[in-house]
Amino acid sequence: MRIGTGILLGWAAALAGGLAARADEGMWTFDNVPVERLERSAGFRPGEAWIERVRLASVRLSDGGSGAFVGPRGLLLTNQHIALGQLQKVSTPEKDYVRTGFYASTEAEEMKCPDLEVHRLERMENVTDVLKAAVEGLPPKAAEARRREILAELAAARTRETGLLCETETLYRGGEYWIYLYRRFTDIRLVFSTEKAIGFFGGDADNFTFPRHDLDVALFRVYENGRPLQVTHYLPVRESPPSEGETVFVAGNPGATLRLITASQFETLRDLAYPTRLAQIEALIAGLEAYGAQGKEQARRAYGALYGIRNARRTVVGELEALRDPAVLEKKRREERALLEGLSGRPSLRRDVRRALREAERAERIRRREFKVLFYGSDMPGGTLSKLALALVRYPVETAKPDGSRLEPFQEANLETLRSEILSPAPLQADLQEAFLATALEWLQAELGPQDPLVRALLGGEPPRDVARKSVGGSRLGDLAFRRRLLDGGGEDEEASSDPLLVLARRADLILRERTLFLREEVAAPLEWAAEVLAGARFAAQGKSMYPDATFSPRLTWGRVAGYEIPSQTVPPFTTFFGLFDRSSAFGGRGAYALPQRFQQGRERLDLSKVLNFASTCDTISGNSGSPCFDREGRVVGVVFDRNREGLSRRFYYDETRARCVAVSSCAVLEILEVLYDAGPLAAELRAASGEKAEPGI
């Protein structure tokens, strides 16, 4: 139902402590940058030109991170760990760029990435009124189906009209619906990357901590029509580090946050989802470590996957710790009580909100009852090759349907991206894919039991490792030409009928579809209905003075460069090259604390007092990796690469007391390029771009 704006002032006041953003809090969409709040907290009011420049200079990378244009010739700054996937794909047993790093001294030497895409948000269109009118009065299941249909139609129409990548965005958990239109760049070339030894200095032990001493940096160049992209909007690097207390900004694509979920959803995450995910991660790590132990080449192939999964483990452990804090759940319940208490003068609206909370609780009871079946029943187990098999099986079936009835990846607006993934030329090592599938099948059998329909369909009574060996070993899906023929032939190729991995995917598909439909109708649909009612109530109280949960779409945040206090210790906001060498020495220069040879040999030439990493209160999360951290003049002072352990709670709430965003300083990047990597021309290109600064605010 439509909710008016005449809500009691007392309700808004009651909510202020729970839902309203504090001074530096918020992952703000570019249509709703809170300039008044920013002016009050930082003494700076950005103008429209400043906001547009930041939006168009900031990009999303398809490998799961963010970045920014830092020069007029398509030069793009991000993290080494965001470049890791591409580094592995262009490496060979003889030339391991993950280990050695990479630098192209000329544009001719820049290395083409097999399947990396860069997306730049060109514009945004609010389609909320169209969606609300289309589903008004419909029950939850019908509303969910109709909403999906309308969004698919709108995105497809805009894709045809503009030629842009058009994605639908549900913001405020149903309060608003948008179409985001991205310009898609596919010719991306690697210019520079540090070695893993310095990009991930300290390894897993130092991950999600501060102080940090990492140079997690990579640079790409975006090409168009065979030439470097001519960029008008970019953020030049600043040669001096930020000062303590300075206001800095981060523009990037934070991954999913869960700050607006209900208390019942929170409990499911705490009791089931996170513990189950953690156990699954541990099993996958064990399987990949066993594969990597087979030899040097297997260890090289497994490194990227293990890096990502171990990183996920640290994230899940930290977030589960936050979920288990009783004060966090109590805060969520207080917010819901405040919402209801504030509606005492609006009985009809209060009934709607109470009903929405009950619906959310009912949906979560269903999810909890069927949890493992639903948790493991939405996707094909295994690695990239297994996922490609399922996509190829579904492609002719889904594309024959009306657009709004298709599964989301197969909707018209998403087909170009899906085809690019299927036709990626990146190598797919059969033995690694077999290890992925064997580990996943063993875990699935252990969790669901041998009599589960999905387990029976996948294993047919055979041991998981035998199924993985036969399915991957006998498959031709690793051959790009074969995948292309299947894709273009509509799935009618005779060889496709007998390819063992496709046969396995077909057997799984029927059951996966059943479970996906059940999840969508019995859990997702009522939750969407409830979330829309609650979002409308919050809007009525606060308007758009609140920010939506993050969705891996472009956002702007700001904060202060600041250290923090922990028991018996004050943590300063900066680390330096002095600290890097000291920490390496303290661990005997061994293992994850061993420095690359160029650092050992070049120590005397470095300015050891230069700021290496710094911490800020900026509101960031996973997905922000590679984001530019910049000053009010639009000059990049750092590139975001991590959070501290206390910052892992930001999935659920913002805390500026100890949670910190961690970045590599741009002055450190210039220092190593010139002194250690013999990359003077690249440093000169970065310095030259700083002659033209972003327009200041009003």
Side-chain angles (χ1 to χ4, degrees):
M1 66 175 288
R2 295 186 183 276
I3 301 176
T5 57
I7 301 297
L8 297 175
L9 292 177
W11 175 24
L15 291 176
L19 300 178
R22 291 184 289 277
D24 294 347
E25 177 182 357
M27 302 172 183
W28 300 91
T29 54
F30 277 91
D31 68 286
N32 185 40
V33 176
V35 292
E36 290 83 7
R37 183 193 300 274
L38 180 52
E39 187 173 30
R40 288 194 301 271
S41 70
F44 171 67
R45 184 184 180 92
E48 291 183 7
W50 188 95
I51 294 170
E52 181 184 32
R53 186 169 194 146
V54 168
R55 172 174 57 81
L56 292 173
S58 310
V59 299
R60 183 180 66 186
L61 281 73
S62 61
D63 279 2
S66 302
F69 289 115
V70 289
R73 291 178 56 78
L75 197 60
L76 185 72
L77 177 65
T78 187
N79 293 146
Q80 187 268 350
H81 82 261
I82 298 301
L84 178 60
Q86 300 300 317
L87 287 167
Q88 282 213 288
K89 290 170 185 176
V90 298
S91 291
T92 65
E94 298 74 31
K95 193 65 174 177
D96 183 0
Y97 293 113
V98 176
R99 182 180 61 82
T100 65
F102 178 83
Y103 171 54
S105 59
T106 67
E107 289 179 3
E109 296 174 347
E110 292 172 1
M111 194 180 306
K112 181 80 161 60
C113 297
D115 53 8
L116 182 63
E117 294 187 7
V118 166
H119 302 153
R120 183 177 71 188
L121 181 61
E122 300 292 304
R123 57 185 184 271
M124 304 155 282
E125 298 180 3
N126 191 334
V127 295
T128 304
D129 290 344
V130 176
L131 264 294
K132 301 262 184 178
V135 303
E136 188 169 12
L138 294 177
K141 289 182 186 179
E144 188 274 338
R146 181 60 176 154
R147 188 182 298 112
R148 205 162 18 89
E149 181 182 350
I150 295 293
L151 284 171
E153 291 172 356
L154 290 171
R158 300 303 288 129
T159 297
R160 290 191 296 269
E161 292 165 9
T162 65
L164 299 173
L165 172 64
C166 297
E167 296 183 354
T168 60
E169 287 291 340
T170 300
L171 301 180
Y172 304 96
R173 300 205 168 266
E176 288 186 347
Y177 299 92
W178 290 72
I179 305 290
Y180 276 23
L181 295 89
Y182 295 89
R183 189 172 174 189
R184 181 171 171 257
F185 301 100
T186 58
D187 187 353
I188 317 299
R189 306 186 192 183
L190 182 65
V191 178
F192 171 82
S193 173
T194 53
E195 308 92 328
K196 72 175 183 181
I198 192 65
F200 194 45
F201 178 79
D204 198 48
D206 280 11
N207 198 13
F208 294 114
T209 64
F210 194 80
R212 284 294 289 275
H213 303 85
D214 289 42
L215 281 152
D216 191 352
V217 177
L219 288 128
F220 293 97
R221 196 181 305 276
V222 178
Y223 280 70
E224 188 173 52
N225 299 322
R227 298 175 180 271
L229 178 70
Q230 298 303 301
V231 178
T232 302
H233 299 95
Y234 60 89
L235 304 175
V237 299
R238 190 173 103 181
E239 297 188 32
S240 60
S243 57
E244 186 170 3
E246 180 177 353
T247 296
V248 290
F249 301 82
V250 171
N253 299 269
T257 56
L258 301 168
R259 299 179 185 180
L260 296 178
I261 61 173
T262 65
S264 56
Q265 290 173 289
F266 190 97
E267 289 176 299
T268 302
L269 291 174
R270 181 195 65 191
D271 299 339
L272 291 171
Y274 268 76
T276 303
R277 176 61 176 149
L278 183 58
Q280 182 187 42
I281 286 171
E282 296 287 5
L284 187 52
I285 288 174
L288 288 175
E289 286 179 340
Y291 167 81
Q294 295 175 19
K296 182 178 179 180
E297 176 59 11
Q298 287 85 351
R300 183 190 73 81
R301 292 176 178 181
Y303 174 75
L306 276 170
Y307 171 88
I309 297 163
R310 287 169 177 157
N311 193 65
R313 175 173 61 186
R314 291 293 294 263
T315 302
V316 170
V317 167
E319 291 177 355
L320 181 56
E321 185 178 287
L323 283 167
R324 286 173 170 166
D325 181 352
V328 180
L329 178 58
E330 179 53 35
K331 177 178 179 291
K332 182 67 63 178
R333 287 174 172 155
R334 278 200 313 272
E335 290 174 0
E336 292 178 0
R337 288 196 297 268
L339 189 61
L340 287 167
E341 290 167 4
L343 292 173
S344 58
R346 300 288 299 275
S348 176
L349 184 54
R350 186 175 184 175
R351 280 195 301 272
D352 287 338
V353 170
R354 195 183 295 278
R355 182 188 166 198
L357 293 172
R358 285 200 305 269
E359 278 294 299
E361 289 176 1
R362 187 190 67 80
E364 288 303 318
R365 283 197 298 273
I366 294 173
R367 190 202 302 270
R368 293 167 74 91
R369 188 182 68 222
E370 306 290 339
F371 182 77
K372 286 192 175 181
V373 167
L374 298 178
F375 185 88
Y376 296 113
S378 60
D379 200 3
M380 185 76 176
T384 302
L385 211 55
S386 299
K387 306 294 191 273
L388 290 177
L390 185 63
L392 284 164
V393 164
R394 287 179 167 179
Y395 191 92
V397 177
E398 291 299 314
T399 53
K401 298 177 182 178
D403 197 29
S405 301
R406 301 176 190 177
L407 295 172
E408 187 174 350
F410 302 89
Q411 291 170 353
E412 186 177 338
N414 302 324
L415 277 184
E416 188 174 0
T417 297
L418 178 63
R419 288 182 63 90
S420 295
E421 292 173 358
I422 293 173
L423 299 178
S424 166
L428 292 167
Q429 294 92 359
D431 60 341
L432 176 58
Q433 296 300 314
E434 182 183 325
F436 266 116
L437 183 56
T439 300
L441 290 175
E442 286 178 339
W443 179 251
L444 200 68
Q445 183 182 49
E447 286 290 280
L448 297 182
Q451 298 308 312
D452 177 80
L454 180 60
V455 174
R456 289 205 310 269
L458 288 166
L459 298 182
E462 293 188 74
R465 293 200 170 271
D466 288 353
V467 172
R469 177 176 48 79
K470 293 176 184 177
S471 299
V472 175
S475 177
R476 293 186 58 197
L477 290 185
D479 181 351
L480 174 58
F482 182 60
R483 295 200 304 273
R484 187 183 300 277
R485 192 164 78 244
L486 293 178
L487 192 62
D488 294 339
E492 299 176 1
D493 191 292
E494 184 177 344
E495 292 179 82
S497 63
S498 59
D499 186 280
L501 202 50
L502 291 172
V503 170
L504 192 71
R506 285 193 205 97
R507 292 207 305 261
D509 186 32
L510 292 175
I511 299 163
L512 293 173
R513 285 178 182 275
E514 289 176 2
R515 293 180 177 180
T516 298
L517 181 62
F518 180 85
L519 178 65
R520 194 169 70 201
E521 291 188 346
E522 300 301 325
V523 179
L527 284 176
E528 286 182 12
W529 178 86
E532 189 169 313
V533 171
L534 295 171
R538 295 187 188 110
F539 273 150
Q542 295 180 281
K544 290 186 72 170
S545 64
M546 55 190 277
Y547 59 92
D549 266 327
T551 59
F552 195 47
S553 58
R555 302 294 176 91
L556 178 69
T557 188
W558 72 88
R560 297 166 292 106
V561 175
Y564 56 100
E565 301 285 338
I566 56 177
S568 303
Q569 185 179 356
T570 297
V571 180
F574 304 111
T575 62
T576 65
F577 283 100
F578 274 120
L580 168 67
F581 287 99
D582 180 66
R583 190 155 180 78
S584 177
S585 177
F587 285 91
R590 294 188 299 270
Y593 300 95
L595 289 168
Q597 188 175 18
R598 74 176 82 241
F599 278 77
Q600 298 174 38
Q601 295 175 343
R603 173 174 178 160
E604 298 305 318
R605 302 195 306 276
L606 284 168
D607 180 352
L608 299 181
S609 67
K610 278 193 183 275
V611 170
L612 178 56
N613 295 160
F614 64 89
S616 74
T617 62
C618 291
D619 194 358
T620 59
I621 196 171
S622 55
N624 274 119
S625 288
S627 296
C629 184
F630 52 97
D631 63 18
R632 64 181 63 191
E633 293 183 355
R635 300 174 300 174
V636 173
V637 295
V639 55
V640 173
F641 74 96
D642 203 3
R643 291 166 284 156
N644 61 357
R645 182 177 180 83
E646 292 82 357
L648 292 172
S649 62
R650 284 185 173 173
R651 181 82 63 187
F652 311 107
Y653 61 90
Y654 176 78
D655 170 30
E656 67 178 10
T657 57
R658 293 191 299 167
R660 292 294 180 265
C661 164
V662 184
V664 181
S665 76
S666 52
C667 66
V669 175
L670 292 171
E671 179 79 359
I672 63 165
L673 288 177
E674 292 176 327
V675 176
L676 299 182
Y677 287 87
D678 195 23
L682 181 55
E685 183 178 356
L686 289 168
R687 291 182 190 277
S690 66
E692 181 182 343
K693 300 174 183 177
E695 296 180 23
I698 296 173

